[in-house]
Amino acid sequence: MKTELNYINLSYQTYSQKEYHIPLSYQIFGKDLFTAPIILVNHALTGNSNVSGEKGWWKQLIGENKTIDTNTYTVLCFNIPGNGYDHFLIDEYEDFTPSDIAEIFLKGLEALHIKNLYAIIGGSLGGGIAWEMLAKQPQLAEIFIPIACDLKTHDWLHAQCLVQKFLLNGNDEPLQKARIHAMLCYRTPQSLNNRFQNRYHHENQRLESEDWLIYHGNSLNERFSLNSYKLMNHLLMNINTDNSKLEKIGARMHLIAVDTDLFFPASEIRMCFEHLKEKKKDVFYHEIQSIHGHDAFLMEYEQLNNIIHNIFRMEWRESEILSDNDKQKIRNR
């Protein structure tokens, strides 16, 4: 399994007319390029290209004999430029939009001589970028699986990102405070209340829930840069896929929502599904049931595995890309 960090050097002009040199980094897992169907995974806000293996953030889903089986597929993941995983940072983060990141990813695929993908899968921000990619290149993929995301940032999410922006521009522990606020949006009142039940941490002299929030704030501050978080929040704030391009997308779409999601509410994703269903026949809706809110797509692995497993079982019947042997593997899992 290839897990090393690779680079593509790109010259790129943003839609705001700024010139950048982008060292686009990526990782490949599973089969060698062009020996198997290629699945592109777009990471979420604080994620990175390391999606599989011992430290992979989606290792419950992607790996040998997992739902996305690296014995069957080539799995590719780019780092969003500026996320800091490859030590590349962007100071003027407002120069970039999700549309720019989508364009950069498409240039990365072009540099790797990848003309078609078997599937694009993206969670949260990564799914929003995937929407933008397909609007630009409608025939890019056979299958599209956006998880806990929508094709636009709606008002509620924009407002929460605005609060994040205010906190991140502060002087006193800005990243920690922004992360604490974000955790309250990623989860739900029921999730926190059920977990902590007003228990008090006597040694620290505060509620265990407060202890947990402070831990998450400090933990992210240790592994993530302020510049990177500002960029990611800005991107999440500005997802704006062109509605006029949606009908042209050739991929079979499987929209996955979380019933309690506060960031990308299931009701909005269902509305997107209903809108697309009027114009396309190969559009499907799936829902994760959870008390945990937006973060359920990173917590409810049994449900997510079952949903994606069933999607792939359905899709292999339509696919001419998979070999008979690969189809048998999917059928048997």
Side-chain angles (χ1 to χ4, degrees):
M1 180 182 291
K2 294 179 173 60
T3 59
E4 67 268 15
L5 205 57
N6 302 283
Y7 290 86
I8 301 168
N9 292 308
L10 299 173
S11 295
Y12 181 71
Q13 184 181 72
T14 68
Y15 288 98
S16 59
Q17 304 300 304
K18 302 294 179 61
E19 297 286 344
Y20 277 86
H21 168 71
I22 304 290
L24 179 62
S25 61
Y26 66 94
Q27 287 174 266
I28 293 175
F29 302 86
K31 308 289 279 186
D32 290 336
L33 275 178
F34 310 116
T35 66
I38 301 170
I39 297 176
L40 176 67
V41 175
N42 287 353
H43 69 76
L45 190 139
T46 61
N48 52 54
S49 60
N50 194 28
V51 296
S52 185
E54 183 180 352
K55 296 183 178 180
W57 59 268
W58 239 2
K59 63 184 178 182
Q60 292 90 341
L61 185 71
I62 302 170
E64 293 185 1
N65 302 314
K66 300 290 179 66
T67 297
I68 300 176
D69 191 350
T70 49
N71 293 317
T72 301
Y73 302 104
T74 303
V75 178
L76 167 67
C77 185
F78 293 115
N79 283 296
I80 294 175
N83 76 344
Y85 186 66
D86 52 11
H87 307 295
F88 175 67
L89 298 174
I90 294 172
D91 293 326
E92 302 299 325
Y93 64 89
E94 291 187 346
D95 288 347
F96 289 83
T97 66
S99 184
D100 284 301
I101 304 303
E103 193 69 48
I104 290 167
F105 282 7
L106 289 172
K107 287 183 179 295
L109 293 176
E110 183 181 356
L112 293 172
H113 307 289
I114 298 172
K115 296 181 179 179
N116 299 102
L117 298 166
Y118 178 58
I120 301 180
I121 303 174
S124 193
L125 173 60
I129 291 168
W131 274 111
E132 299 265 16
M133 291 177 71
L134 287 168
K136 295 173 183 294
Q137 199 165 320
Q139 304 306 316
L140 179 62
E142 294 280 322
I143 306 165
F144 176 36
I145 307 176
I147 305 169
C149 70
D150 203 353
L151 50 85
K152 291 185 184 296
T153 301
H154 295 289
D155 294 290
W156 166 261
L157 176 54
H158 189 277
Q160 299 308 317
C161 291
L162 182 62
V163 174
Q164 290 276 290
K165 185 176 181 178
F166 291 154
L167 292 169
L168 290 167
N169 287 331
N171 295 321
D172 183 19
E173 298 186 326
L175 200 153
Q176 292 96 319
K177 290 179 178 177
R179 187 61 170 178
I180 286 171
H181 167 257
M183 291 303 297
L184 297 177
C185 299
Y186 296 149
R187 304 294 174 90
T188 65
Q190 186 181 3
S191 178
L192 264 69
N193 291 341
N194 281 17
R195 175 169 179 171
F196 296 108
Q197 299 180 25
N198 280 96
R199 289 190 298 271
Y200 193 77
H201 195 298
H202 291 282
E203 184 178 346
N204 292 342
Q205 295 190 343
R206 59 193 180 205
L207 289 172
E208 288 185 11
S209 56
E210 184 179 348
D211 219 36
W212 178 81
L213 288 168
I214 290 170
Y215 164 79
H216 276 281
N218 291 335
S219 177
L220 188 73
N221 187 57
E222 291 170 3
R223 70 178 181 87
F224 218 77
S225 77
L226 180 60
N227 276 6
S228 297
Y229 201 85
K230 285 182 176 181
L231 168 67
M232 297 301 148
N233 181 65
H234 172 73
L235 295 175
L236 186 62
M237 196 174 186
N238 289 284
I239 301 166
N240 189 26
T241 308
D242 187 345
N243 283 337
S244 68
K245 304 289 181 65
L246 299 181
E247 292 179 47
K248 298 178 181 178
I249 295 176
R252 297 180 291 279
M253 299 183 184
H254 294 267
L255 283 58
I256 303 177
V258 179
D259 65 337
T260 55
D261 196 334
L262 300 177
F263 256 26
F264 291 99
S267 59
E268 291 176 358
I269 297 175
R270 280 196 299 270
M271 285 175 60
C272 177
F273 163 72
E274 295 293 345
H275 172 74
L276 289 168
K277 194 68 178 172
E278 293 176 0
K279 298 173 172 59
K280 293 172 58 65
K281 66 175 184 178
D282 294 326
V283 185
F284 308 91
Y285 177 82
H286 314 266
E287 193 169 280
I288 295 170
Q289 308 292 316
S290 176
I291 68 168
H292 297 303
H294 183 70
D295 266 3
F297 87 96
L298 296 170
M299 299 170 69
E300 303 284 1
Y301 282 111
E302 185 174 351
Q303 287 190 61
L304 184 58
N305 274 317
N306 286 337
I307 289 170
I308 294 181
H309 173 68
N310 289 333
I311 289 171
F312 277 21
R313 280 177 65 93
M314 179 197 313
E315 287 292 343
W316 73 261
R317 300 186 187 94
E318 305 290 332
S319 177
E320 296 178 358
I321 296 176
L322 292 179
S323 68
D324 289 340
N325 185 48
D326 287 337
K327 289 179 180 181
Q328 186 62 45
K329 288 180 185 177
I330 294 170
R331 186 187 297 113
N332 291 340
R333 280 203 295 276

